[in-house]
Amino acid sequence: MRLAFRPRDYNRGLKLALIGYGNVGRALARLLRQKRREFPFTVTGIHTLRHGTAIHPAGLPLQPAFGPRAASIEEFLEQTRADVAVELTTLNPVDGEPAISHIRAAFACGMHVATANKGPVAHAFADLCEEAARAGVGFRFESAVMDGAPVFNLWRHCLPAVRVLGFTGSLNSTSKVVIETMEQGGSFEDGMARARALGITEADGAFDVEGWDSAAKTAALANVLMDARTTPQKVSTRGITRLTPERVQAMARRGKTVRLISRGRRNGAAVSLRVRAEVLDRSDILASAPGTSNVILFHTDLMGTFGTVSIEPGVEQTAYGVFSDLVAFRTGSAS
Ligand SMILES: NC(=O)c1ccc[n+]([C@@H]2O[C@H](COP(=O)([O-])OP(=O)(O)OC[C@H]3O[C@@H](n4cnc5c(N)ncnc54)[C@H](OP(=O)(O)O)[C@@H]3O)[C@@H](O)[C@H]2O)c1
């Protein structure tokens, strides 16, 4: 039997308040516009750090005219009268702020929250889930770890009774671009410049190569899938900053490469977490996906080892992950 897609099942429009309107926020706005007939979301407010705030109850255009910045996040959220706050501000891997406060303010206003920001999931996942439940709203973060490729929704919907024993991932695109650039004869700085030009680095690119981005993703995965109640600081982390073109090229001549690998493993009641630059065979599944691709493998009790691969994801895929969270709020399947 063929199941027909019926747009009218999704006919409840939701109003959105975007906090942050950078690469991901703008890509999301474009996607919402592209899909507006089947999924009529309305962006009633956008709040930024330096560009100011824009609010319109009937909906904002892609290039809104920003006015003065709202005095507080609470004032902004109240003025938008939105159903969902979409948190897309810059990652702060040290303590997850101010994103965590933004999310709490949204819950206090009775709004669902979707975010692509891994900071809150890495630092305060359990508390935020409890607060969302108390407020009777949903909290979603599909894009926080794999740029929109299904990770958390996969576990939410497809794997009843399966227990995560551990995970292994190559999750940081910037470090891969830097390593590949050095293998091709460029310098570390050339690699960083290439990654920046691709728009894939964190606002502070040091977070990528020093391992903070991977540590935050590792903590987020462990918090959500293994109830680890951890933070990035508790992940044993070493980045790729000590790699040189000479070392990388010598390894390449032996058929080897380096990837910044995140590992999580249950040890009895504890969970051990680490991020390391690991030497891998070029044919290793964690090393063979091209360019900015990400790979995660889950080690489980009932499903053995399986994974998700995202080939050369871009900001459009990150926006799609957020969009999938918003659709879950529309259909009422997220709270
Ligand atoms: N880019 C990706 O491919 C990707 C993939 C997965 C996850 N993410 C995550 O998604 C989030 C957004 O990434 P992005 O690439 O869109 O970042 P971005 O281009 O640097 O944009 C960040 C936005 O947040 C705003 N902002 C920063 N601090 C703020 C504050 N305190 N209050 C209000 N607004 C604030 C900035 O305002 P101004 O415009 O005024 O500076 C800007 O609009 C990050 O947490 C990132 O880790 C990104």
Side-chain angles (χ1 to χ4, degrees), residues 104-225:
R104 291 199 158 120
F107 291 160
C109 289
M111 294 180 189
H112 302 298
V113 173
T115 185
N117 191 331
K118 60 202 91 60
V121 188
H123 282 277
F125 176 68
D127 288 347
L128 291 174
C129 285
E130 281 165 26
E131 289 168 38
R134 271 202 303 277
V137 295
F139 176 44
R140 289 291 180 110
F141 39 80
E142 185 56 68
S143 289
V145 169
M146 278 277 279
D147 302 321
V151 174
F152 300 115
N153 285 331
L154 184 72
W155 282 94
R156 204 172 268 126
H157 298 300
C158 303
L159 297 156
V162 180
R163 182 173 152 86
V164 181
L165 304 177
F167 59 84
T168 311
S170 171
L171 301 171
N172 181 261
S173 304
T174 296
S175 63
K176 287 181 73 174
V177 170
V178 171
I179 290 163
E180 280 179 4
T181 303
M182 292 198 290
E183 284 172 346
Q184 290 155 12
S187 66
F188 197 100
E189 290 69 30
D190 292 338
M192 286 300 287
R194 221 180 109 205
R196 254 186 234 108
L198 289 169
I200 56 169
T201 54
E202 289 297 335
D204 182 346
F207 288 162
D208 290 291
V209 290
E210 288 171 3
W212 275 103
D213 171 74
S214 294
K217 287 173 174 167
T218 305
L221 283 163
N223 285 340
V224 180
L225 302 179

Side-chain angles (χ1 to χ4, degrees), residues 291-315:
T292 58
S293 306
N294 294 320
V295 182
I296 186 157
L297 301 175
F298 299 106
H299 314 297
T300 77
D301 57 350
L302 305 180
M303 270 296 293
T305 293
F306 70 95
T308 297
V309 180
S310 184
I311 303 293
E312 308 268 22
V315 74

Side-chain angles (χ1 to χ4, degrees), residues 18-26 46-52 66 69 73 87-92 97-99 102 115-120 143-148 198-203 213 217 313-319 322:
L18 307 193
I19 311 167
Y21 201 55
N23 296 315
V24 179
R26 287 167 196 274
I46 301 175
H47 186 56
T48 71
L49 186 62
R50 295 163 304 165
H51 290 85
F66 287 99
R69 191 168 190 260
I73 191 71
E87 217 293 340
L88 301 173
T89 66
T90 322
L91 168 68
N92 173 353
E97 290 289 4
H102 294 163
T115 185
N117 191 331
K118 60 202 91 60
S143 289
V145 169
M146 278 277 279
D147 302 321
L198 289 169
I200 56 169
T201 54
E202 289 297 335
D213 171 74
K217 287 173 174 167
V315 74
E316 289 76 17
Q317 283 66 57
T318 304
V322 179

Side-chain angles (χ1 to χ4, degrees), residues 25-46:
R26 287 167 196 274
L28 177 65
R30 291 193 296 273
L31 176 56
L32 292 171
R33 192 173 175 78
Q34 185 189 338
K35 293 289 175 189
R36 66 187 182 281
R37 285 191 203 290
E38 298 132 281
F39 301 91
F41 294 102
T42 307
V43 177
T44 56
I46 301 175

